[in-house]
Amino acid sequence: MSLPKRILIVGLGLMGGSYADALSSKGYEVYALAHRQSSLDFAVENGLVRGGSIEVEEEFVKSFDLVVFALYPHILIEWLEKYHKYLKPGAILTDVTGVKSSIIPGVMEIIKDDDVEFVFAHPMAGKEVYGVENADKEIFKKANFIVTPMTTNNEESINLIEELGREIGSNHVTRLSPELHDEMIAYVSQLAHIIAVSLMTAKDCDSLYEYTGNSFRDLTRIADINDSMWSELFLDNKDTLLDQIDLFMGEMKKMREALDKGDVETMKSMMKLSSERRRKFRS
């Protein structure tokens, strides 16, 4: 199933802008709804979108068969509560949200009587900066793209959103249940950000940058963080994320005890397993 030629992006931050950049470069007619006129102006002037609006008008919204929501979770819910009746009958909707289980019930309740279909998805891409001014289609190259279909989704619509993932540049598209998605994301993304933040805040030293090598820089690249977005994502996935933090702290405790006791074999065993798993990332 081919993507529609005209696509609407709702939200022009880093992710919305990067979607627009990737799709426009493939020849799609991309339009946007933005919160700020300055964001829309930047996107138009730099060829990310053909046009758009900061006002949500029914005639405009109804002209699109595919709508990508690049909004914070709570703003997505608020937008749908106000404007879901503006969506074109038969339209396919999708998102970029980093949590699923906490938002899906609310979204589905709002659109339950509408003739639209929402196929939830999550591109595993980003930067340590934000805003449409930093939009870049290259962030999707070699990135994973996760689709979290529900039993109510038809196969054609799921395939269309999987094709969207490939069109923006992702080379690995996979399907997960919303629950498994949230568990995996809690571990590979949210926990990683928590570790990076904790590394930057644990030691009271304002001049760490004067002493670091590449290992510390690599580990803390994502510590320059959008605090509003990530704190919301953490709270929306709270219980699952707490489980992953406990899992990690258990391994930290194991390594600490091995170091304290001079237990070289346990340290080596953990390092060998770590190396074995990390090498798979190179393929």
Side-chain angles (χ1 to χ4, degrees):
M1 187 175 184
S2 300
L3 298 182
K5 192 65 178 175
R6 283 165 48 88
I7 299 172
L8 176 63
I9 309 289
V10 181
L12 268 183
L14 172 67
M15 292 305 296
S18 296
Y19 259 77
D21 186 22
L23 292 168
S24 291
S25 71
K26 289 288 188 75
Y28 292 95
E29 298 175 15
V30 183
Y31 294 82
L33 286 172
H35 180 62
R36 292 186 295 272
Q37 186 65 48
S38 58
S39 297
L40 185 60
D41 291 343
F42 178 91
V44 172
E45 289 165 8
N46 288 274
L48 303 181
V49 299
R50 294 197 176 195
S53 177
I54 59 171
E55 302 294 334
V56 184
E57 298 176 348
E58 183 173 3
E59 186 176 349
F60 178 66
V61 175
K62 265 194 164 61
S63 66
F64 295 93
D65 294 301
L66 177 59
V67 182
V68 179
F69 290 96
L71 302 171
Y72 287 14
H74 78 278
I75 298 176
L76 169 58
I77 298 293
E78 290 172 2
W79 194 99
L80 288 171
E81 285 175 338
K82 290 180 182 177
Y83 306 117
H84 69 102
K85 292 299 184 183
Y86 291 4
L87 295 163
K88 183 178 181 178
I92 306 298
L93 320 175
T94 191
D95 68 329
V96 305
T97 316
V99 292
K100 299 303 179 195
S101 298
S102 63
I103 66 163
I104 287 176
V107 169
M108 299 310 295
E109 178 63 25
I110 294 167
I111 66 170
K112 66 181 180 181
D113 296 322
D114 299 340
D115 182 19
V116 297
E117 188 168 1
F118 208 121
V119 182
F120 295 87
H122 182 197
M124 293 299 294
K127 288 183 176 182
E128 62 272 22
V129 290
Y130 43 94
V132 69
E133 297 81 8
N134 294 296
D136 182 5
K137 64 185 178 184
E138 297 301 317
I139 66 173
F140 301 119
K141 295 294 173 65
K142 297 184 178 181
N144 293 319
F145 187 89
I146 303 172
V147 181
T148 57
M150 298 177 295
T151 56
T152 53
N153 290 136
N154 70 62
E155 190 65 22
E156 245 188 20
S157 300
I158 299 169
N159 290 339
L160 184 140
I161 299 306
E162 289 178 334
E163 181 61 22
L164 173 65
R166 287 185 282 269
E167 280 291 87
I168 63 173
S170 299
N171 67 346
H172 184 69
V173 178
T174 190
R175 298 184 190 187
L176 289 177
S177 69
E179 295 77 18
L180 187 54
H181 165 275
D182 289 355
E183 179 184 337
M184 289 296 101
I185 294 318
Y187 189 76
V188 303
S189 178
Q190 295 176 341
L191 176 61
H193 282 79
I194 285 173
I195 292 169
V197 168
S198 299
L199 275 170
M200 291 305 303
T201 59
K203 194 165 190 65
D204 189 13
C205 178
D206 291 332
S207 52
L208 288 173
Y209 65 92
E210 295 183 10
Y211 319 121
T212 56
N214 287 338
S215 58
F216 194 85
R217 290 191 188 96
D218 290 345
L219 280 168
T220 58
R221 177 184 61 81
I222 56 174
D224 187 357
I225 194 169
N226 181 336
D227 54 289
S228 295
M229 180 183 77
W230 282 99
S231 59
E232 180 173 344
L233 292 173
F234 289 171
L235 288 169
D236 282 345
N237 204 23
K238 178 181 174 181
D239 291 340
T240 303
L241 181 53
L242 286 172
D243 288 342
Q244 305 312 305
I245 292 173
D246 290 343
L247 185 67
F248 176 76
M249 290 175 67
E251 286 297 286
M252 285 290 289
K253 183 179 179 182
K254 182 179 176 182
M255 180 65 84
R256 189 190 188 287
E257 289 175 351
L259 177 62
D260 185 43
K261 295 174 181 177
D263 183 354
V264 176
E265 290 308 310
T266 294
M267 288 191 286
K268 283 185 175 181
S269 175
M270 292 177 71
M271 291 174 188
K272 286 175 181 175
L273 179 58
S274 168
S275 297
E276 178 185 324
R277 290 177 173 173
R278 186 61 178 83
R279 288 187 191 114
K280 293 179 181 178
F281 286 39
R282 300 173 191 167
S283 58

